Amino acid sequence: MELWIRSQDKECLVKISNIQYVLRKETNCGISTEYHYIGTYYDNLKILGTYKTKERALEVLNEIQNMLYAGLKATNNNQLAGTTSIVYQMPKK
């Protein structure tokens, strides 16, 4: 089974072999900002979605995991015979 993810901005459709939560902290003029990403690594980080909190980013990661689990379960029960791909659309928020 293959997992494809359409990026949050809808500009990219990526076949995924790994996906992860990434936290980036930046400080500019003494102001710290945290960025919570879901992304994938090949040669470099490809950001698929950006979220306000770590909790929300992990919720999205859980949705992807649950979708994969349901797809694998359906495939094992022959409910998705001939279907080998799942496409997940990253939520805006």
Side-chain angles (χ1 to χ4, degrees):
M1 177 176 299
E2 295 178 343
L3 172 63
W4 291 78
I5 295 184
R6 182 107 187 231
S7 60
Q8 200 174 44
D9 63 9
K10 298 185 170 122
E11 294 180 359
C12 186
L13 186 61
V14 180
K15 184 171 135 181
I16 302 297
S17 62
N18 63 58
I19 188 167
Q20 65 188 52
Y21 163 77
V22 178
L23 170 63
R24 290 236 174 120
K25 295 181 182 184
E26 294 181 7
T27 302
N28 189 9
C29 298
I31 299 172
S32 290
T33 305
E34 290 186 346
Y35 298 93
H36 304 275
Y37 300 119
I38 298 293
T40 185
Y41 278 96
Y42 292 105
D43 293 330
N44 53 27
L45 175 65
K46 172 63 183 160
I47 296 169
L48 300 171
T50 304
Y51 300 95
K52 288 185 178 186
T53 65
K54 177 179 182 177
E55 291 75 21
R56 178 58 183 143
L58 293 178
E59 283 176 5
V60 171
L61 205 54
N62 286 341
E63 287 175 15
I64 295 167
Q65 177 183 341
N66 291 338
M67 179 182 242
L68 277 171
Y69 177 73
L72 288 171
K73 186 175 177 183
T75 299
N76 289 338
N77 291 333
N78 291 323
Q79 294 173 359
L80 293 176
T83 302
T84 59
S85 297
I86 293 175
V87 178
Y88 179 83
Q89 170 65 55
M90 296 297 283
K92 285 282 185 193
K93 296 181 180 183

